[in-house]
Amino acid sequence: MLFKDQIDFVRQHVKKNRMRIFTTVLATTMGCAFLIVLASIAFGLQGTMKEEILSDSAVTKIEVYSNDEEKLDEKAIRSIPNVQAIVNKSNIQASAFPTVKFENRSGNSEISFSNFEQAKKAKLKLSQGTYPSKKNEVIVGYNLGQNLLTKQELKAMEKEDDTTKEKENKRGLQQSLLGKEITVAFQTEDDKKTKTRNYKVVGIGEKPVKEWLTDSTIQMDEAMKPIVLRDYNKVADQKLKEKDFYYVSHAVYATDLEAVKGILKKLKSMHLSVYSVTEQLDQLNVFFLALKIGLIFVGTIAVLIASIGIYNTMTMAVTERIREIGVMKAIGAGPRLVQRLFVMESAYIGILGTVLAILISYIISFASNLLLPKILEAVMPESGIGELGIRFSTIPWELVLIASAISIGVAILSGWRPARKATKIDVIQALRQD
Amino acid sequence: MIQLQHISHTFKIGKKGNERGVPVLKDISFNINDGEIISIVGKSGSGKSTLLNVIAGFLKPETGSIHMNGKETTNFTEAEHAKFRMVNTGFIFQNFQLMPGLTAKENIELPLKIKGVPKQSRKQHVQEILQKVELEKVADHYPNELSGGQQQRVCIARALVTNPPIILADEPTGSLDSETEQEILQLIKQLNVQMGITFVIITHDEEVATIANRTFRMHDGVLKEVETVAI
């Protein structure tokens, strides 16, 4: 029998038993949609968490911590293939935070020292300007200007007990600090002793990825370390040594994402403690893989329950058509053709149910992503869930593929036994039926 | 064309463990030549339908061998029997065995579909057969819209459509009135003469046997040739 004729044959029978087939398809649709929607929660949350992690740091960045006070062997690290740059960052201790002054404004800041040549090599971005080329040039954090307040603004802020965002936005320096000269001052608590130094702002750092984060740092060249320490010690009650003045962090940048794993392995073999977002992502992926498998398993149970319906429908179809099967066998239909026709019928139910389930699942997924945050926001207004941008459900093509394979596979398996039964029908008995 | 040698078969009846055998076919041997009409006459329960089922391959005999069209079919598998039937054998049933959901034309087309004949060629074949059995006017009617005679014509057309050399007919006029019975018998005779098809007709009606070249009588599982008419 030609394939097209087989399809026509199956469609004819489906049409004849519309109502029964409809209820079976409906059960299959519900089972498959349940599977997809359930698993889509794991995909959605994984996507949200992955985005969250990736938005925090660059994927090619590897944080390296040397043990104890041992100095990092930068030369050895540079010799690792695919290492783009090693950016060292020294942050001064919190107790030594300076005050920044610009015109009639002032505010607190923190200083960090970087090797800008390496930062440039690592292609670390700035929102404005360039990297410093002279000692007295600095890069300031994106929010430094906003933190510089006039005395009136400071007083007004101290009086306010409820600060709204609008007021916060209007406060501080509204213009860019790029190209301006700022003064960094170390002073005693009683303001009796002050040591100031002027710096030219040549670059503004990138905007923090989170709205609630602020960046008010001043990044200077590493060569400024002893000078700043001297400035601090001039006014400090307790003089600090260089090793106590700041702590150093190292970041190794890989040329691309694929190279990160190899570099991590090498660094670990050098007995260095390392952290990369890719490792965190790997752990996250393992967790969500287990979750997805679990949810797909639970969803498959629903599909299996629906398969009982298909089994019943196909068994009834075979029982009702015993005479028909007998005639077909008498006029030349072999057992394989008879079996194929019934398996195709159950596959037809499976395919129809799966297609409908995919459509319904996408609608449910879209609606839940749209409505759930609003509902949760209404129920828990303090949680701020609506602004977090959580995706509750995502249906990637892999999930559609897995669910379709399970649903159609189970449908075919359900029809298999009744189809086998059809091939075993005795022609003589079948032709005797009314 | 068809050669049966020492065919015997026993049905087992009774409860499991307490069964007893009832012999239905007892050492049956006979030959049927190309283009013959053979009738096998006998009372109900004489074993004539069982004999037809053995020839058709629906039932495997306990002993003996069957040769059809130069091939031994005795030990064919179910699939081999189906394939052999598709090419070599047509069937005419007492109660027509038409598919109620298909029109007369579609019923006739069914064996061609099973055979895998392309649509265009099928259409042509069906049209020719419809003309032969004079059913063009009711081609699009469903079986329940046809008279008994018309239904049997559809059944005959379905048996003819694959152009088989042998047609096995089980009580072909059993459900028809005497006038329609004559029409169908004439049609069978005509097809035998025109197309050279071999007919094996099982009947309890002596009247039907009149169109046969040879008539066999079946009694208690034993077959005897009783009449031969020169072709």
Side-chain angles (χ1 to χ4, degrees), chain B residues 113-209:
Chain B
K113 273 191 178 176
I114 291 171
K115 206 176 173 183
V117 177
K119 197 174 182 180
Q120 203 53 41
S121 178
R122 279 198 318 249
K123 232 176 158 181
Q124 201 184 325
H125 266 78
V126 171
Q127 205 51 46
E128 283 169 17
I129 297 294
L130 279 168
Q131 274 174 4
K132 232 169 231 165
V133 296
E134 297 167 11
L135 280 174
E136 298 113 302
K137 284 181 185 169
V138 292
D140 293 317
H141 289 217
Y142 285 93
N144 61 359
E145 297 163 351
L146 301 172
S147 69
Q150 284 171 327
Q151 286 190 55
Q152 193 56 296
R153 277 171 187 269
V154 174
C155 184
I156 292 170
R158 185 178 64 186
L160 285 174
V161 77
T162 51
N163 224 2
I166 306 160
I167 288 182
L168 305 176
D170 188 2
E171 304 275 10
T173 57
S175 304
L176 306 174
D177 57 59
S178 55
E179 200 180 320
T180 318
E181 178 183 298
Q182 281 309 312
E183 271 179 38
I184 294 298
L185 291 177
Q186 284 314 307
L187 179 65
I188 290 173
K189 188 76 195 166
Q190 188 189 325
L191 292 169
N192 167 253
V193 173
Q194 283 176 0
M195 300 171 78
I197 298 169
T198 307
F199 280 86
V200 179
I201 303 170
I202 300 292
T203 182
H204 65 277
D205 186 350
E206 302 285 344
E207 181 68 25
V208 176

Side-chain angles (χ1 to χ4, degrees), chain A residues 1-2 4-5 8-9 12 16 323-325 327-335 337 423-428 430-434, chain B residues 53 58-59 78-79 82-83 85-86 89 91 93 95-102 106 110-111 113-119 122 158:
Chain A
M1 205 178 210
L2 300 174
K4 194 183 168 297
D5 291 328
D8 282 346
F9 187 88
Q12 238 166 20
K16 238 194 301 185
R323 194 180 66 88
E324 196 178 305
I325 295 162
V327 174
M328 284 188 63
K329 283 173 113 177
I331 60 177
L337 175 63
T423 65
K424 291 193 168 69
I425 285 171
D426 179 44
V427 181
I428 302 168
L431 294 178
R432 277 187 195 146
Q433 289 216 344
D434 287 329
Chain B
N53 289 335
F58 300 152
L59 185 70
E78 203 188 334
K83 203 173 170 187
R85 280 197 294 268
M86 189 163 65
T89 330
F91 287 91
F93 304 100
N95 44 3
F96 326 124
Q97 303 288 9
L98 301 177
M99 303 285 187
L102 302 180
E106 287 166 345
L110 190 60
K113 273 191 178 176
I114 291 171
K115 206 176 173 183
V117 177
K119 197 174 182 180
R122 279 198 318 249
R158 185 178 64 186

Side-chain angles (χ1 to χ4, degrees), chain B residues 70-88:
Chain B
K71 275 186 184 168
E72 187 178 353
T73 61
T74 331
N75 294 315
F76 269 6
T77 61
E78 203 188 334
E80 285 169 334
H81 266 304
K83 203 173 170 187
F84 186 82
R85 280 197 294 268
M86 189 163 65
V87 180
N88 296 286

Side-chain angles (χ1 to χ4, degrees), chain A residues 88-90 92 111-114 220-222 224-225 228:
Chain A
N88 299 325
K89 205 172 177 187
S90 310
I92 63 167
I111 295 173
S112 69
F113 304 97
S114 282
M220 297 181 183
D221 192 84
E222 279 189 318
M224 288 300 290
K225 274 182 185 175
V228 175

